[in-house]
Amino acid sequence: MPRFRLLIEYDGGGFVGWQHQRNGMSVQEAIETAIERLSGQKVRLHAAGRTDAGVHALGQVAHVDLERAWPGDTVRDALNHFLRPHPAAILEAGMVDDGFHARISARRRSYLFRLLERRAPPMVDRGRVWHVGRPLDLAAMQAGARQLVGRHDFTTFRAAECQALSPVKTLDRLAVARVGAEIRIEADARSFLHHQVRNMVGTLKLVGDGKWTPDDVGKALARRHRAAGGPTAPPEGLYLVSVGYLDDGTELSVNQE
Amino acid sequence: MPRFRLLIEYDGGGFVGWQHQRNGMSVQEAIETAIERLSGQKVRLHAAGRTDAGVHALGQVAHVDLERAWPGDTVRDALNHFLRPHPAAILEAGMVDDGFHARISARRRSYLFRLLERRAPPMVDRGRVWHVGRPLDLAAMQAGARQLVGRHDFTTFRAAECQALSPVKTLDRLAVARVGAEIRIEADARSFLHHQVRNMVGTLKLVGDGKWTPDDVGKALARRHRAAGGPTAPPEGLYLVSVGYLDDGTELSVNQE
C-alpha cells in the first residue's frame, strides 16, 4: 500500500496530546478520523514524537498507509476539510518509500520553548508561552544550558513514565536567547526522553531566577535522579518545530521567524 | 485628579472592538469595569485609536483620570486581576501630565498586518492572520505600496462611517516583507482614516494576486472614491503595534520580533 508522509501543525491546547486517550480528543484520533472519512479506511497513524497535552507542533511528522495512491495535495486539502473544527492542519502530504518510518527514520527533533518575562499576562499569545512574570538572568541560563549539551545520562530530566530503552541521549544544541520580552530556548537532538525538554526548561528557569547557579545544573545532571532536577515546565510554552530525516536527502521543516 | 496612561494588549477576537457597543463586550467596557472595581469610580477611558472587532493590539494607549495617586504598578496589577477572564492586559500604567491625551497627543500610530500564504489554514496562529492560501507577488505588492506613501487624499481607502474631518493624511511608511510563509505589511502614520489599513491591505492583495498592477493602486488613489479601491481585509490579521508621543520625550512601544 502507498505510504504517505504528513507534515502537521496543531494547537496543543485543543487536544489531550498526540496519542489516543479515553478522556478526550487526541491529535492522532482527529487525523485518523479525517483519514477514514477521506478513504473509508481505519488506519493507524505513526508520529515522529508523541507530544503531551497542551504541547504545540509547527512541524510534527507522521506516516500512514493508504490503499490508493492519491495525489499529495488532494490528501492535504481533504484532510484539512475533514479535520474541522479541530485545531490541527496538514501542511504537506506526499507519498514516500515503504522504508520510511516517521519515528524510526527521524534523525533530528527540534523543539522551541517560549517564556514570557513581563509582569502582565499574555493575551495575543495566551496558551502559547509560559508566563514567568519577571526578567530572568539570560547569561546564567546560557551557562547552565552549556552543562547539558553533549552525550549524557539524562535520568535527572526523565519522566517516570518514560518508555525509552536508555536514558543516555546526545543533546546537540540547547540555545537560550532573549527576543523582546521573551526567553526562547531551542533544543535539538536525535531524540529526547519523555518530558526532557520541559524538565530542562524548568531547571534553567531556577537558574534564571537566581535560585540555582549554572554549575548546579551540571551537578543535578550528574546525580542521575529525577528528584535532583528542577520542576517540569508547563506544556503551553513548548513547540515541536521540526523533524529531520536523512532517508530522502531532505529535511522537513517549517520556516521560523 | 491624577491622570494615568495605560499601555494595553488585547486579543481582538474576544471583543466587539475598542468602543462601547450594545451587542457585546468592548475593550473599553472591560477596562472601565476593572477600573471601577479597583477605585469605585465610574470613569471614561480615552484611547489613541478605536480598533474594530477582531483587530488586535500589542500596544494600544489610553488615559483615564483617577481620584487617587496610586502607584502605577499597583494600577497595572490590580486591573489585570479584575480584567479576568477578558483577553486584555495592562502592560504598563503610570501617572502623566494633565496635558496628556491618548488620542490628541499621539504623533504616530504603527500597525502590522499579517497574511498567511500557505495552503493549509493556520492553527497555532488561528485568528491572528489573514489566510490567503497561496503565494503572493511580493515585489508587485512592494511597488504598489510605494504608490501610497506620502501625503494624499485617501478617500479611496476610507470607510463610509469614518468621522475624520479630512481625508488627507500622510502615510509615512508602508513596508511589505516576507517572513516565512507570511507577508507582513507595516504601516506608520500620525493618524489613519477608519478602515484605511485594512482597505490598503485588501487592495495590495489584489496586486499580490496579479489581478491589479502596482500602477492600478496609484490610479485608484487618484480616483478619490471608495468604490475605486479593493475590498476591506479581514480584521484578524491587523495589530495596533504602538503609539508614539512627543509630549514626554518618550515613545511607548513594545518590542516586536
Side-chain angles (χ1 to χ4, degrees):
Chain A
M1 287 202 294
R3 177 159 290 185
F4 285 81
R5 175 161 65 178
L6 307 178
L7 181 66
I8 308 162
E9 175 180 306
Y10 47 86
D11 169 4
F15 297 101
V16 296
W18 171 266
Q19 200 167 17
H20 282 284
Q21 303 280 345
R22 292 174 190 275
N23 62 332
M25 180 57 60
S26 62
V27 185
Q28 188 181 15
E29 181 180 349
I31 301 176
E32 286 176 359
T33 302
I35 293 172
E36 187 176 351
R37 291 180 67 185
L38 166 66
S39 68
Q41 289 176 251
K42 284 198 181 294
V43 297
R44 170 52 61 110
L45 195 60
H46 300 268
R50 299 172 189 162
T51 52
D52 289 310
V55 175
H56 314 293
L58 302 174
Q60 171 73 283
V61 176
H63 78 263
V64 65
D65 294 327
L66 299 182
E67 285 164 2
R68 280 182 53 182
W70 308 80
D73 289 357
T74 303
V75 171
R76 178 197 61 204
D77 292 350
L79 294 185
N80 285 337
H81 174 76
F82 291 125
L83 272 166
R84 293 178 203 159
H86 301 298
I90 310 301
L91 305 187
E92 298 172 12
M95 252 188 286
V96 286
D97 192 87
D98 276 4
F100 175 84
H101 189 290
R103 180 173 55 79
I104 297 168
S105 308
R107 290 292 175 275
R108 182 190 47 73
R109 275 102 173 158
S110 294
Y111 283 91
L112 164 68
F113 199 103
R114 298 171 59 189
L115 302 96
L116 182 66
E117 300 178 286
R118 75 176 193 208
R119 177 79 174 165
M123 292 299 143
V124 169
D125 282 330
R126 181 139 71 165
R128 303 283 185 272
V129 294
W130 180 15
H131 179 225
V132 300
R134 59 191 168 281
L136 300 172
D137 183 337
L138 176 67
M141 293 176 77
Q142 289 168 329
R146 282 194 291 272
Q147 311 260 332
L148 297 175
V149 174
R151 183 174 166 86
H152 303 289
D153 179 330
F154 281 99
T155 298
T156 297
F157 303 97
R158 181 186 198 181
E161 318 85 291
C162 182
Q163 294 172 11
L165 294 174
S166 163
V168 177
K169 296 284 178 191
T170 300
L171 181 61
D172 295 315
R173 182 166 168 266
L174 189 63
V176 187
R178 178 169 277 133
V179 179
E182 283 185 27
I183 295 283
R184 295 195 177 183
I185 301 177
E186 296 178 353
D188 294 347
R190 177 159 174 163
S191 62
F192 290 91
L193 301 169
H194 190 195
H195 281 182
Q196 184 183 340
V197 177
R198 289 167 59 191
N199 289 338
M200 293 191 304
V201 169
T203 300
L204 290 178
K205 178 176 171 284
L206 293 177
V207 177
D209 283 336
K211 292 174 186 161
W212 281 33
T213 68
D215 282 349
D216 289 340
V217 177
K219 289 175 191 160
L221 176 69
R223 291 272 306 279
R224 287 184 282 172
H225 194 285
R226 179 69 193 100
T232 306
E236 66 264 24
L238 185 60
Y239 299 74
L240 173 54
V241 174
S242 64
V243 185
Y245 296 90
L246 288 178
D247 65 303
D248 59 354
T250 67
E251 185 177 90
L252 277 181
S253 69
V254 291
N255 279 304
Q256 277 290 289
E257 305 141 41
Chain B
M1 289 201 293
R3 177 159 291 186
F4 285 80
R5 175 161 64 178
L6 307 178
L7 181 66
I8 307 162
E9 176 180 306
Y10 48 86
D11 169 4
F15 296 101
V16 296
W18 170 266
Q19 199 168 15
H20 283 282
Q21 302 281 344
R22 292 174 190 275
N23 62 332
M25 179 58 60
S26 62
V27 183
Q28 188 181 15
E29 181 181 348
I31 300 176
E32 286 176 358
T33 302
I35 293 171
E36 186 176 352
R37 292 180 66 184
L38 166 67
S39 68
Q41 290 176 250
K42 284 198 181 296
V43 297
R44 171 52 60 111
L45 196 59
H46 299 268
R50 299 171 188 163
T51 53
D52 288 310
V55 174
H56 314 293
L58 302 173
Q60 171 74 281
V61 176
H63 78 263
V64 65
D65 295 327
L66 299 182
E67 284 165 3
R68 281 182 52 181
W70 309 81
D73 289 357
T74 302
V75 172
R76 178 197 63 203
D77 292 350
L79 294 185
N80 286 337
H81 174 76
F82 290 125
L83 272 166
R84 291 178 205 159
H86 301 298
I90 310 301
L91 305 186
E92 299 172 12
M95 251 187 287
V96 286
D97 191 86
D98 275 4
F100 175 84
H101 189 290
R103 180 172 55 79
I104 298 168
S105 308
R107 290 294 175 272
R108 182 189 47 72
R109 276 100 174 160
S110 294
Y111 283 92
L112 165 69
F113 199 105
R114 298 171 58 190
L115 302 96
L116 182 65
E117 301 179 286
R118 75 176 192 208
R119 177 79 175 165
M123 293 298 143
V124 169
D125 282 328
R126 181 139 72 166
R128 302 284 185 272
V129 293
W130 180 15
H131 179 225
V132 299
R134 59 192 168 281
L136 300 172
D137 183 336
L138 176 66
M141 294 176 76
Q142 289 168 331
R146 282 194 291 272
Q147 312 260 332
L148 298 174
V149 173
R151 182 173 167 86
H152 302 289
D153 179 330
F154 281 98
T155 298
T156 298
F157 303 98
R158 181 186 199 182
E161 317 86 290
C162 183
Q163 295 172 10
L165 294 175
S166 163
V168 176
K169 296 286 178 189
T170 300
L171 180 62
D172 296 314
R173 182 166 169 265
L174 189 63
V176 187
R178 178 169 277 133
V179 179
E182 280 184 30
I183 296 283
R184 296 196 176 182
I185 301 177
E186 295 177 355
D188 294 347
R190 177 160 175 162
S191 62
F192 290 91
L193 301 169
H194 190 195
H195 281 183
Q196 184 182 342
V197 178
R198 289 166 60 190
N199 289 340
M200 292 191 302
V201 169
T203 301
L204 290 177
K205 177 175 172 283
L206 293 176
V207 177
D209 282 337
K211 292 174 187 160
W212 281 33
T213 68
D215 281 349
D216 288 339
V217 177
K219 289 175 192 160
L221 176 69
R223 291 271 306 281
R224 289 185 279 173
H225 193 285
R226 178 70 193 100
T232 307
E236 66 263 25
L238 184 60
Y239 299 74
L240 173 54
V241 174
S242 63
V243 185
Y245 295 91
L246 288 178
D247 65 303
D248 59 355
T250 67
E251 184 178 273
L252 276 180
S253 70
V254 293
N255 279 303
Q256 278 290 291
E257 305 139 40

